[in-house]
């Protein structure tokens, strides 16, 4: 045996030739920029800072890393015969390839036998004239590249060199920078976009399989993964070449048919596709498990059970996960490490959007690992997140990005729960979804909020009954949305029904009763029943002042609505005095840019306009508009209302 662990005689049987086959003949869609950069290193075309460094093409299994390496190698073979290919799937193949290359470059057998293979090999590679390429393919377990040294420190069996026109190109699923060290250049290979994905499908299946638009839709459903695209394209081509009478039941011949077969998370109709993808994920997870990451499989399953949307990391709460037997004894540090290595292998992406840390699974990875029958843990995670201090209250504008990220998962949890006879689990799903609906309402997404609340009300009526406190809470929230949408009669009916139900059990001064009466008064006001609404407001205020105090937020809200009513009745001086007093309190407790403060400021500027103070009203309305655009966004309904008010005021100022 040699010092490399591979006998000299056996190394003679190792080929260093570049693989041929379909990958070398296909057009490599969507990879031109990367190919140009890698080729430029060898051609000495302006990438001096990358010369001598290890270039690692990294990404999800099946994303086309080996295809990129094959394409680079075949192009360079037209320019030089110094192109070598070593497989790194296992130690035997890798060590044998290094030994074969060393002998080809003239390293004496005695140097190899003495354990100096790496030093001698890289000395000779560094001294080569002209362009050369060494590909180390499928180095998913980068520990094989260490040898007696350390890959990350530049002393491994693969290391940087001093040749000005040499390229060391490694393909691997491992994209962690600490694996490769500072002397490596990582090229993250991502799935193809819809356009290039359509090119792949059309190139293989041909136009008889459907239109470009249909191909793009299927490519999107396949997540742009080249392995899936190529497998599906070849399958459709094979089916399409047979007359219809010779096709078996269930076989699909068009892009639209194949996509339809995948609807709602269905399995691939072609067993070869499913088997190939399952093998990819299994190998990746086996590798991580072997490295001691014991929770990667259950964690991937949990994440895959959430909606097909970015998953906020708040939903991977170690405290909740630790309550499940699959995570028994697993620490928060281990869960974080598992997320990092799963991302490093390309099975997921870790990113931050609008200040929310999220993880996104490739759709095919999600399909392969989701277990819809095991949703209980996901519901517990969702409920805990929705009640957490980090999430805060749904109406808090600063927390809206997080609530927006939680929304698809709350809706998905209800779909998971459908048909379950576990009442406690449903109520946990309800709690999260109800808070999400409140956030949607506050953000102005009324149609989305209404749809969710109608579903909750319907389901609660079946599970706990229409008069259950939780059902009444969702009905109340639904009435709020209906009111804001202008459906006053429907909202009024719900509020009156809630009051009838709760009066006998809670009493007229209970906070829930006061809230329902307050909302009923708002509807009555908008319906033109001003005296009725005013009587309710004044009665509520009497109770709130005695129990909560003059400056409690609930008291201020009622006073504000009373001021709006007085304003609309023409009692401008009374209304202005209330607005200004409320603003004094809100400025000191909430701040001048809080949404509630801005609402009061908006209504005060409207009153100033009605009093004839057009210039003052215009200046203040412009300030409120600027603040609402910044705080709520330019498309929020409150922002648009302020814009409309400013337009009216400016039009009045322009009149002669």
């Amino acid at each position: 045996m040699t010092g490399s662990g591979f006998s000299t005689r056996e190394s003679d049987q190792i080929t260093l030739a570049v693989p041929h086959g379909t990958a070398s003949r296909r057009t490599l869609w969507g990879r031109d920029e990367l190919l140009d950069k890698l080729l430029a290193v060898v051609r000495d075309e302006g990438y001096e800072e990358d010369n001598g460094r290890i270039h690692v093409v990294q990404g999800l299994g099946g994303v086309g890393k080996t295809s990129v390496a094959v394409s680079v190698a075949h192009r360079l073979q037209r320019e030089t015969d110094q192109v070598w290919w070593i497989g790194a799937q296992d130690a035997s193949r890798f060590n044998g390839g290094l030994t074969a290359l060393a002998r080809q470059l003239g390293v004496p057998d005695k140097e190899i036998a003495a354990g100096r293979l790496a030093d001698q090999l890289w000395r000779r590679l560094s001294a080569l004239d002209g362009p050369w390429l060494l590909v180390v393919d499928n180095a998913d377990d980068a520990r094989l590249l260490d040898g007696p040294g350390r890959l990350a420190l530049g002393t491994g069996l693969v290391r940087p060199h001093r040749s000005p026109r040499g390229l060391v190109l490694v393909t691997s699923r491992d994209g962690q920078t600490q694996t490769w060290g500072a002397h490596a250049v990582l090229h993250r290979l991502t799935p193809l976009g819809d356009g290039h994905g359509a090119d792949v499908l059309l190139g293989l299946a041909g136009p008889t399989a459907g239109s470009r638009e249909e191909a793009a839709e299927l490519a999107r459903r396949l997540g742009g993964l080249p392995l899936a695209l190529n497998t599906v394209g070849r399958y459709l081509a094979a089916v399409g070449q047979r007359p219809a009478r010779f096709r078996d039941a269930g076989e699909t011949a068009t892009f639209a048919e194949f996509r339809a077969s995948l609807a709602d998370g269905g399995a691939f109709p072609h067993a070869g596709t499913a088997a190939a993808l399952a093998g990819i994920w299994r190998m990746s997870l086996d590798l991580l498990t072997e490295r001691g990451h014991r929770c990667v499989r259950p964690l991937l399953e949990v994440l895959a059970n959430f909606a097909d949307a970015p998953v906020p990391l708040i939903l991977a709460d170690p405290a909740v996960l630790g309550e499940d037997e699959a995570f028994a004894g697993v620490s928060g540090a281990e869960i974080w490490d598992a997320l990092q290595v799963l991302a490093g292998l390309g099975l997921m992406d870790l990113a931050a959007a609008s200040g929310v840390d999220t993880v996104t699974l490739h759709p095919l990875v999600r399909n392969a690992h989701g277990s819809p029958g095991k949703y209980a843990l996901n519901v517990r995670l969702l409920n805990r997140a929705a009640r957490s201090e980090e999430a805060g209250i749904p109406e808090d504008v600063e927390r809206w990005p997080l609530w927006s990220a939680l929304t698809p998962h709350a809706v998905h949890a209800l779909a998971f729960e459908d048909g379950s006879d576990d009442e406690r689990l449903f109520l946990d799903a309800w709690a999260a979804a109800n808070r999400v609906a409140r956030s949607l309402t506050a953000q102005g997404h009324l149609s989305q909020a209404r749809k969710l609340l109608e579903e909750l009300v319907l389901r609660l009526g079946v599970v706990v009954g229409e008069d259950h406190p939780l059902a009444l809470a969702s009905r109340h929230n639904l009435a709020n949305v209906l009111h804001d949408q202008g459906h006053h009669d429907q909202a009024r009916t719900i509020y009156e029904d809630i009051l009838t139900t709760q009066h006998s059990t809670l009493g007229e001064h209970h906070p829930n009763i006061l809230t329902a009466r307050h909302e009923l008064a708002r509807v009555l006001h908008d319906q033109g029943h001003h005296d009725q609404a005013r009587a309710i407001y004044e009665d509520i205020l009497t109770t709130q002042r005695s129990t909560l105090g003059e400056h409690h937020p609930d008291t201020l809200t009622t006073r504000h609505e009373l001021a709006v009513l007085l304003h609309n009745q023409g009692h401008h001086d009374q209304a202005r005095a209330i607005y200004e007093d409320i603003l004094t309190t809100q400025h000191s407790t909430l701040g001048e840019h809080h949404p509630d403060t801005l609402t009061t400021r908006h209504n005060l500027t409207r009153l100033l306009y009605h009093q004839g103070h057009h210039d003052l009203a215009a200046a203040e309305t412009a300030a409120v508009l600027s603040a609402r655009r910044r705080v709520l966004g330019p498309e929020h309904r409150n922002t648009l209302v302020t814009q409309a008010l400013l337009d009216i005021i400016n039009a009045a100022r322009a009149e002669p």
Side-chain angles (χ1 to χ4, degrees):
M1 297 293 291
T2 70
S4 67
F6 203 91
S7 72
T8 301
R9 183 173 180 179
E10 288 171 328
S11 70
D12 290 338
Q13 310 304 314
I14 295 291
T15 178
L16 301 175
V18 177
H20 286 264
T22 57
S24 62
R25 296 192 298 271
R26 287 198 306 263
T27 299
L28 203 58
W29 295 104
R31 308 305 190 196
D32 290 344
E33 183 177 350
L34 176 58
L35 292 175
D36 288 344
K37 175 157 188 174
L38 293 171
L39 290 167
V41 174
V42 181
R43 293 167 177 166
D44 195 20
E45 295 176 352
Y47 288 94
E48 293 85 355
E49 71 276 11
D50 291 341
N51 286 349
R53 302 175 73 186
I54 301 170
H55 287 254
V56 182
V57 177
Q58 175 272 327
L60 178 70
V63 80
K65 302 180 294 294
T66 296
S67 294
V68 168
V70 167
S71 184
V72 171
H74 281 292
R75 295 188 192 194
L76 285 177
Q77 282 183 320
R78 303 167 192 164
E79 304 172 24
T80 177
D81 59 359
Q82 297 184 123
V83 175
W84 307 285
W85 189 283
I86 296 176
Q89 293 91 330
D90 53 65
S92 177
R93 198 174 325 193
F94 174 61
N95 290 334
L98 285 181
T99 301
L101 177 58
R103 296 186 71 231
Q104 188 177 122
L105 293 177
V107 177
D109 287 345
K110 64 179 181 179
E111 293 290 321
I112 297 174
R116 292 189 284 270
L117 179 148
D119 291 341
Q120 293 295 330
L121 171 62
W122 290 97
R123 184 176 295 119
R124 280 167 170 74
L125 286 171
S126 294
L128 288 176
D129 293 328
W132 59 267
L133 168 68
L134 170 60
V135 174
V136 179
D137 188 40
N138 285 320
D140 297 330
D141 188 353
R143 294 174 298 180
L144 296 179
L145 278 56
D146 281 336
R150 285 284 304 280
L151 171 68
L153 298 179
T155 60
L157 295 176
V158 174
R159 60 180 68 169
H161 59 86
R162 295 185 299 276
S163 175
R165 297 188 62 190
L167 172 61
V168 179
L169 181 58
V170 181
T171 69
S172 176
R173 300 180 195 180
D174 192 336
Q176 299 183 91
T177 54
Q178 61 266 35
T179 297
W180 304 99
H183 50 268
V185 181
L186 297 183
H187 304 277
R188 178 70 179 274
L189 204 61
T190 58
L192 297 177
D194 297 346
H196 288 309
D199 290 331
V200 174
L201 290 171
L202 286 166
L204 291 167
T208 59
S211 67
R212 181 173 181 79
E213 290 73 19
E214 291 170 329
E217 290 175 358
L218 177 56
R220 185 182 309 114
R221 181 64 181 81
L222 295 172
L225 192 68
L227 174 64
L229 293 168
N230 282 289
T231 304
V232 171
R234 289 194 297 272
Y235 165 76
L236 292 176
V239 174
Q241 289 170 2
R242 280 185 273 128
R245 69 175 61 89
F246 294 106
R247 296 175 192 167
D248 296 327
E251 285 190 316
T252 58
T254 69
F255 303 133
E257 290 173 352
F258 199 101
R259 181 171 174 268
S261 72
L262 297 175
D264 301 320
F268 280 96
H270 181 233
T273 306
L277 295 173
I280 288 173
W281 317 143
R282 185 176 60 253
M283 287 188 292
S284 294
L285 295 177
D286 287 346
L287 176 62
L288 294 179
T289 302
E290 181 186 333
R291 292 181 179 179
H293 299 288
R294 54 180 174 159
C295 68
V296 288
R297 291 182 189 275
L299 181 60
L300 190 58
E301 183 177 273
V302 168
L303 294 172
N305 276 344
F306 285 115
D308 189 7
V311 180
L313 287 187
I314 191 176
L315 291 176
D317 186 343
V320 181
L321 290 172
E323 298 170 359
D324 189 87
E325 62 180 359
F327 294 88
V330 175
S331 67
E334 287 180 281
I335 292 171
W336 176 248
D337 287 344
L339 289 168
Q340 298 296 312
V341 296
L342 285 167
L345 286 185
L347 293 170
M348 60 179 61
D349 289 314
L350 292 169
S354 301
V356 179
D357 292 324
T358 64
V359 56
T360 302
L361 273 64
H362 187 282
L364 297 184
V365 175
R366 179 177 174 273
N367 285 355
H369 294 92
S371 299
K374 299 180 179 179
Y375 61 86
L377 177 56
N378 291 72
V379 172
R380 293 200 301 273
L381 287 163
L382 183 65
N383 187 35
R384 187 74 62 89
R387 295 176 178 274
S388 68
E389 182 178 347
E390 183 178 344
I393 62 171
E395 292 77 16
D396 185 348
V397 64
E398 294 184 358
R399 313 297 176 94
W400 285 354
L402 176 56
W403 283 105
S404 294
L406 290 172
T407 296
H409 306 293
V411 174
H412 189 65
L414 286 176
F416 260 169
E417 194 282 331
D418 196 14
S420 169
D421 58 1
D422 188 336
E423 180 178 313
R424 181 65 262 167
L425 198 59
F426 168 73
L427 294 180
D428 280 346
W430 167 86
N434 193 59
R435 292 173 73 84
V436 161
R438 285 170 51 190
S439 177
L440 289 169
T441 303
Q443 294 180 60
H445 304 312
L446 300 183
S447 296
Q448 196 176 353
R450 178 178 175 178
K451 181 178 180 181
L452 178 55
L453 286 165
E454 287 176 337
E455 172 71 11
L456 288 174
V457 169
L458 179 64
R459 298 275 295 283
L460 281 163
V462 174
V463 177
V464 297
E466 293 182 355
D467 295 337
H468 189 281
L470 300 183
L472 292 174
S474 286
R475 291 174 65 197
H476 184 280
N477 291 338
L478 175 59
N480 287 346
V481 173
L482 291 169
H483 182 187
D484 288 344
Q485 287 185 316
H487 304 298
H488 297 156
D489 291 342
Q490 290 176 261
R492 178 176 176 177
T493 298
I494 294 175
Y495 289 135
E496 289 176 338
D497 186 52
I498 290 173
L499 284 168
T500 300
T501 301
Q502 290 187 320
H503 256 135
S504 59
T505 57
L506 300 180
E508 62 178 326
H509 297 308
H510 190 279
N512 289 359
I513 295 293
L514 294 177
T515 300
R517 292 184 66 207
H518 177 276
E519 296 303 325
L520 176 59
R522 288 181 60 235
V523 175
L524 291 169
H525 178 183
D526 288 342
Q527 287 183 320
H529 306 300
H530 293 175
D531 291 340
Q532 255 184 290
R534 180 171 179 176
I536 294 174
Y537 284 140
E538 289 175 342
D539 186 54
I540 293 172
L541 270 176
T542 299
T543 301
Q544 289 176 327
R545 282 171 169 148
S546 63
T547 58
L548 302 177
E550 186 72 19
H551 300 299
H552 188 277
D554 290 350
T555 309
L556 292 177
T557 298
T558 304
R559 293 181 65 205
H560 177 272
E561 292 304 321
L562 177 59
V564 174
L565 189 150
L566 291 169
H567 178 177
N568 291 341
Q569 286 184 315
H571 304 301
H572 294 167
D573 291 340
Q574 286 178 265
R576 180 171 178 176
I578 296 174
Y579 285 144
E580 290 175 341
D581 186 55
I582 291 173
L583 272 178
T584 299
T585 301
Q586 289 177 326
H587 274 139
S588 61
T589 58
L590 302 178
E592 63 176 325
H593 293 144
H594 188 278
D596 291 349
T597 307
L598 294 175
T599 296
T600 306
R601 290 176 64 190
H602 168 91
N603 285 324
L604 178 56
T605 61
R606 188 170 67 92
L607 187 146
L608 292 171
Y609 163 65
H610 289 152
Q611 287 184 319
H613 307 300
H614 292 179
D615 290 342
L616 179 60
E620 177 62 8
T621 304
V624 173
L625 178 60
S626 176
R628 277 187 158 172
R629 282 174 173 165
R630 184 170 62 255
V631 174
L632 303 177
E635 300 303 321
H636 193 282
R637 58 195 179 98
N638 288 353
T639 306
L640 298 177
V641 167
T642 302
Q643 177 66 70
L645 175 60
L646 182 59
D647 292 341
I648 291 170
I649 294 172
N650 285 333
R653 294 171 68 205
E655 292 178 358

